[in-house]
């Protein structure tokens, strides 16, 4: 009689799959550089024979089968392979103990790191913070929720088939949805999006309405972007109170502090993108806002620049600073000096970045809905002029094919970066410390 079932360590009975035994033996052979696939197959057949003889009238346990594997390896003259297999068993036993200590029943054979991340962020818990679902149940919950939406577009959609297809993609780790989907699909919050841009208009009511919405989004695992360019500059008049405005950067600090509070109780720390137009009167304060390494620690910041501004930088001209409340010019500054300050602080601290307003709006697929003013914290770094390398953007996924680095594409990226740097140095747009750092 052939063995058709095996009892797992948790007591459940599942189909007996000889291929798993063969794979484990093959790994032990490979570790000791003995034999190959054929030897692994022959040894597996011997294991199956003994298991069938000893458990003709019962169901073997996993440990029973593993003991027989060790016995076969020793009796067939492969003590070193048996030792490697014993170590393999011990390592897996250690992993199981760690997973048990974490409090997760791993029904997908994931790594310790994966289990820890799932336990901290994604697996549902009860009110006492005890995990109440397994990784497989998590994937099933997400797949079921995503598939159910299809009926809104096609009442006759094969919901069960779509659910299973999505589940299999996740179980094989071929595709994984974003954090809010894993956290919230089929859960009370139900918020599946990760990326938001919130408007901020020049009034206390609008500002704090956006602050409230930001907190709700961060609670559900999303990230937020803002353009603070509509806020009146520091020192400007506030007619309702006869006082003076504190400026965009002061309100950014409020958003930053609120984000810091939210991340204490959320599953995922909040993230923000703050943007200010290059022609805003407070642009200098904005550019240096993160120079101390502490201020606005929950923000990435970027200066919004136009084609006109970049042309002024190239030609060494001045650019006007416009009060957004009145639409009038209040001052003019050297575009090149501002650009050099942006570059220096980007080199020194990583902020600010640049967002090219005219370019993104030229590629706006929904111009009838309005102009782009901001992005959320996620994104890619455009590689310009991208036509010369045919990549579109600096994205690591473009540089990898079948798990291997595409060195031809990588060389194109490096060559283009060097060419760009040559042009920047020639135009004297880079501060000397940055050039020295890049050269090193």
């Amino acid at each position: 009689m052939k063995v058709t079932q095996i009892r797992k360590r948790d007591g459940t009975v599942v189909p007996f799959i000889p291929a798993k035994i063969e794979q484990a033996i093959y790994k032990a052979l490979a570790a000791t550089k003995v034999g190959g696939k054929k030897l692994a197959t022959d040894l597996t057949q011997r294991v199956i024979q003994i298991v069938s003889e000893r458990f003709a009238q019962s169901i073997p346990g996993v440990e029973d089968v593993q003991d027989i594997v060790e016995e076969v390896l020793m009796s067939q003259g492969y003590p070193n392979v048996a030792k490697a297999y014993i170590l393999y068993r011990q390592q897996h036993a250690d992993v199981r103990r760690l997973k048990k200590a974490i409090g997760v029943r791993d029904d997908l054979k994931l790594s310790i790191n994966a289990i820890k991340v799932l336990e901290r962020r994604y697996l549902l818990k009860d009110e006492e913070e005890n995990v109440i679902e397994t990784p497989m149940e998590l994937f099933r919950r997400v797949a079921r929720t995503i598939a159910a939406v299809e009926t809104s577009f096609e009442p006759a959609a094969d919901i069960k088939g779509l659910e299973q297809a999505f589940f299999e993609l996740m179980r094989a780790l071929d595709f994984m949805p974003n954090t809010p989907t894993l956290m919230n699909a089929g859960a009370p919050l139900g918020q599946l999006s990760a990326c938001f841009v919130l408007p901020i208009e020049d009034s206390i009511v609008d500002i704090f309405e956006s602050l409230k919405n930001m907190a709700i989004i961060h609670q559900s695992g999303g990230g937020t972007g803002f353009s603070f360019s509509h806020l009146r500059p520091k020192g400007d008049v506030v007619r309702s109170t006869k006082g003076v405005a504190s400026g965009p950067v002061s309100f950014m600090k409020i958003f930053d502090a609120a984000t810091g509070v939210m991340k204490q109780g959320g599953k995922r720390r909040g993230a923000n993108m703050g943007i200010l137009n290059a022609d805003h009167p407070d642009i200098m304060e904005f550019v240096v806002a993160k120079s101390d390494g502490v201020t606005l620690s929950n923000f990435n910041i970027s200066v919004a620049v136009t084609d006109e501004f970049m042309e002024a930088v190239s030609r060494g001209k001045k650019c006007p600073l416009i009060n957004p409340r009145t639409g009038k010019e209040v001052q003019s500054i050297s575009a090149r000096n501002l650009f050099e300050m942006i570059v220096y602080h980007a080199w020194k601290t990583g902020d600010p970045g640049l967002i090219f307003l005219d370019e993104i709006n030229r590629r706006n697929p929904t111009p009838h809905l309005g102009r782009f003013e901001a992005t959320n914290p996620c994104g890619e770094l455009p590689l310009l002029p991208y036509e010369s390398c045919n990549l579109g953007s600096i994205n690591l996924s473009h540089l990898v094919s079948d798990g291997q680095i595409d060195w031809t594409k990588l060389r194109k990226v490096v060559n283009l970066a060097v060419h760009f740097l040559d042009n920047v140095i020639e135009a004297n747009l880079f501060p000397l410390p940055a050039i020295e750092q890049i050269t090193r």
Side-chain angles (χ1 to χ4, degrees), residues 81-98:
V81 179
K83 180 179 179 181
Y85 183 77
I86 292 170
L87 290 174
Y88 166 84
R89 287 184 68 180
Q90 184 60 47
Q91 289 169 354
H92 279 255
D94 292 341
V95 169
R96 286 193 298 273
R97 280 193 290 272
L98 283 171

Side-chain angles (χ1 to χ4, degrees), residues 211-257:
L211 181 67
K212 178 195 76 175
N213 291 332
M214 179 204 76
I216 294 171
I217 290 169
H218 287 180
Q219 181 187 33
S220 63
T224 46
F226 313 88
S227 173
F228 292 88
S229 302
H230 296 290
L231 301 188
R232 67 192 70 189
K234 179 188 292 187
D236 196 32
V237 63
V238 180
R239 290 179 180 173
S240 60
T241 62
K242 307 303 180 184
V244 294
S246 56
V249 174
S250 67
F251 285 105
M252 289 179 68
K253 292 177 180 178
I254 296 174
F255 280 68
D256 182 72

Side-chain angles (χ1 to χ4, degrees), residues 8 41 72 158 167 194 229 268 284 292 332 342 353 403 426 429:
K8 297 174 66 176
T41 301
V72 168
D158 179 13
F167 172 78
S229 302
R268 183 191 194 194
M284 292 295 191
D292 61 3
S332 64
I342 293 169
E426 184 177 348
L429 298 179

Side-chain angles (χ1 to χ4, degrees), residues 179-180 183-184 189 191-199 209-226 255 259 262-263 266-272 376-377:
T179 281
M183 284 169 43
N184 303 324
L189 284 176
Q191 197 284 102
L192 309 187
S193 297
C195 308
F196 295 82
V197 170
L198 298 177
E209 180 69 17
S210 291
L211 181 67
K212 178 195 76 175
N213 291 332
M214 179 204 76
I216 294 171
I217 290 169
H218 287 180
Q219 181 187 33
S220 63
T224 46
F226 313 88
F255 280 68
T259 301
M262 288 302 303
K263 72 183 179 185
K267 293 184 179 180
R268 183 191 194 194
R269 62 166 292 175
N272 301 302
N376 73 301

Side-chain angles (χ1 to χ4, degrees), residues 86-303:
I86 292 170
L87 290 174
Y88 166 84
R89 287 184 68 180
Q90 184 60 47
Q91 289 169 354
H92 279 255
D94 292 341
V95 169
R96 286 193 298 273
R97 280 193 290 272
L98 283 171
K99 290 177 180 178
K100 186 176 181 180
I102 292 171
V104 175
R105 181 168 67 85
D106 179 21
D107 47 7
L108 289 178
K109 306 300 181 185
L110 301 173
S111 69
I112 289 293
N113 284 342
I115 290 297
K116 187 60 180 174
V117 171
L118 288 174
E119 185 273 332
R120 288 184 61 188
R121 288 188 173 180
Y122 303 123
L123 297 174
L124 294 182
K125 299 178 181 179
D126 60 22
E127 293 185 358
E128 283 74 40
E129 288 297 297
N130 299 310
V131 173
I132 59 174
E133 70 177 351
T134 68
M136 188 175 293
E137 290 169 342
L138 159 66
F139 290 170
R140 182 63 68 183
R141 165 172 61 83
V142 172
R144 186 183 306 114
T145 304
I146 297 300
V149 177
E150 291 299 317
T151 55
S152 301
F153 306 97
E154 177 53 62
D158 179 13
I159 301 303
K160 287 295 183 182
L162 291 169
E163 176 188 330
Q164 188 62 29
F166 199 80
F167 172 78
E168 294 296 342
L169 282 172
M170 288 189 290
R171 181 166 69 173
L173 305 183
D174 290 332
F175 173 80
M176 201 61 60
N178 63 11
T179 281
T181 299
L182 292 173
M183 284 169 43
N184 303 324
L189 284 176
Q191 197 284 102
L192 309 187
S193 297
C195 308
F196 295 82
V197 170
L198 298 177
I200 297 185
E201 299 301 328
D202 190 31
S203 77
I204 289 295
V205 172
D206 286 326
I207 292 170
F208 281 88
E209 180 69 17
S210 291
L211 181 67
K212 178 195 76 175
N213 291 332
M214 179 204 76
I216 294 171
I217 290 169
H218 287 180
Q219 181 187 33
S220 63
T224 46
F226 313 88
S227 173
F228 292 88
S229 302
H230 296 290
L231 301 188
R232 67 192 70 189
K234 179 188 292 187
D236 196 32
V237 63
V238 180
R239 290 179 180 173
S240 60
T241 62
K242 307 303 180 184
V244 294
S246 56
V249 174
S250 67
F251 285 105
M252 289 179 68
K253 292 177 180 178
I254 296 174
F255 280 68
D256 182 72
T259 301
V261 171
M262 288 302 303
K263 72 183 179 185
Q264 298 297 321
K267 293 184 179 180
R268 183 191 194 194
R269 62 166 292 175
N272 301 302
M273 169 63 79
I275 288 173
L276 195 71
N277 289 350
D279 63 359
H280 193 283
D282 289 357
I283 189 61
M284 292 295 191
E285 181 186 6
F286 179 82
V287 169
V288 304
K290 296 188 66 176
S291 60
D292 61 3
V294 177
T295 304
L296 301 181
S297 60
N298 296 304
F299 267 91
N300 296 121
I301 63 172
S302 283
V303 176

